[in-house]
Amino acid sequence: MTARVLVVEDAEPIRTAVGIALTEAGYDVRTQPDGDGFERELATYRPDLVLLDVMLPGRDGFELLTLARETSNAGVILLTARDAVGDRLHGLRTGADDYVVKPFVLAELIARVEAVLRRMGRLRTVLTVGDLEVDVEAQAVRRAGTAIELTATEFKLLAFLAGRDGKVVGKTQLLTAVWGYDDYADNLVEVYVSGLRRKLEAHGPRLLHTVRGSGYVLRA
């Protein structure tokens, strides 16, 4: 099941950018600008993780963090421009799982989200597509029982595609998710897809398909 992430951030540009990035990374996402209805969201949406801005209008992030810890088992990552050591320690001692200081790079935030969810056991650790097994924790790949050696980037690309459950992924989305940027040339993706495809097809029929005009998809 797709992990659910609730984003509580009053700055609209940040809220929108984070929401889009998380959605493109494969998460089910809800966003809100303040703490109004926070209890209701915890009870009805039941997020696996909350990204929580500290400097919110009304109830601040520390108050909402305490509430989340009392009424939910969701992970919490604090987002804040306050980078003083005392603030970070207060957040962590209050129960935050991580603390990200603004401005941040979206790719790093997504990686921190994944790390917290994985520590909590909320992400699948072994992804399967047909006879292909991708062990995310061990960073190991097997096809029909045979191990396949991949580079770190090839593994990251394969794991991202495997985690999309048969959905088509565009080049820009892959650039953001795998390389952390969206301004590389399109042929970077094509080169890595081609190399990955050769390694996979050495052990069976095609799994990594090109959808013309849309992107790539991993499916049996």
Side-chain angles (χ1 to χ4, degrees), residues 139 150-157 178:
Q139 295 208 357
L150 301 180
T151 67
T153 301
E154 287 173 338
F155 182 85
K156 193 172 182 180
L157 174 61
V178 177

Side-chain angles (χ1 to χ4, degrees), residues 7-218:
V7 181
V8 187
E9 165 64 60
D10 66 327
E12 192 278 333
I14 297 176
R15 186 172 68 249
T16 299
V18 170
I20 290 172
L22 287 167
T23 299
E24 290 186 342
Y27 297 104
D28 181 309
V29 183
R30 285 192 188 179
T31 64
Q32 61 182 74
D34 52 44
D36 289 347
F38 185 69
E39 296 95 325
R40 182 179 62 253
E41 292 288 356
L42 291 178
T44 59
Y45 181 52
R46 299 179 63 188
D48 296 292
L49 180 75
V50 181
L51 288 177
L52 192 55
D53 183 25
V54 170
M55 303 294 287
L56 290 169
R59 296 183 295 178
D60 68 17
F62 291 129
E63 182 178 348
L64 296 181
L65 169 60
T66 299
L67 179 61
R69 282 290 167 257
E70 292 174 348
T71 62
S72 168
N73 62 356
V76 178
I77 297 178
L78 293 176
L79 306 176
T80 181
R82 295 163 56 172
D83 61 352
V85 173
D87 289 331
R88 295 202 299 272
L89 290 176
H90 178 59
L92 294 172
R93 286 169 176 164
T94 306
D97 295 281
D98 204 348
Y99 197 107
V100 178
V101 177
K102 302 174 185 177
F104 50 79
V105 176
L106 284 171
E108 179 185 357
L109 179 64
I110 300 301
R112 287 174 178 265
V113 166
E114 180 180 344
V116 170
L117 287 170
R118 198 170 303 288
R119 286 200 303 269
M120 296 175 63
R122 303 293 177 88
L123 293 181
R124 290 173 294 169
T125 58
V126 179
L127 308 171
T128 59
V129 180
D131 61 355
L132 178 72
E133 292 185 356
V134 182
D135 189 325
V136 178
E137 287 194 348
Q139 295 208 357
V141 177
R142 299 180 71 85
R143 185 162 193 197
T146 301
I148 300 176
E149 295 295 326
L150 301 180
T151 67
T153 301
E154 287 173 338
F155 182 85
K156 193 172 182 180
L157 174 61
L158 179 63
F160 183 78
L161 288 167
R164 296 294 288 166
D165 295 323
K167 297 182 179 67
V168 177
V169 182
K171 289 181 181 178
T172 300
Q173 188 175 347
L174 285 172
L175 285 169
T176 302
V178 177
W179 285 271
Y181 299 93
D182 59 7
D183 58 355
Y184 283 121
D186 285 350
N187 68 342
L188 178 66
V189 176
E190 293 170 358
V191 168
Y192 274 89
V193 165
S194 178
L196 180 57
R197 183 178 279 150
R198 283 196 302 272
K199 291 183 179 182
L200 295 178
E201 291 181 11
H203 302 279
R206 177 158 295 189
L207 291 175
L208 179 47
H209 305 274
T210 300
V211 180
R212 193 172 300 279
S214 297
Y216 304 96
V217 60
L218 192 70

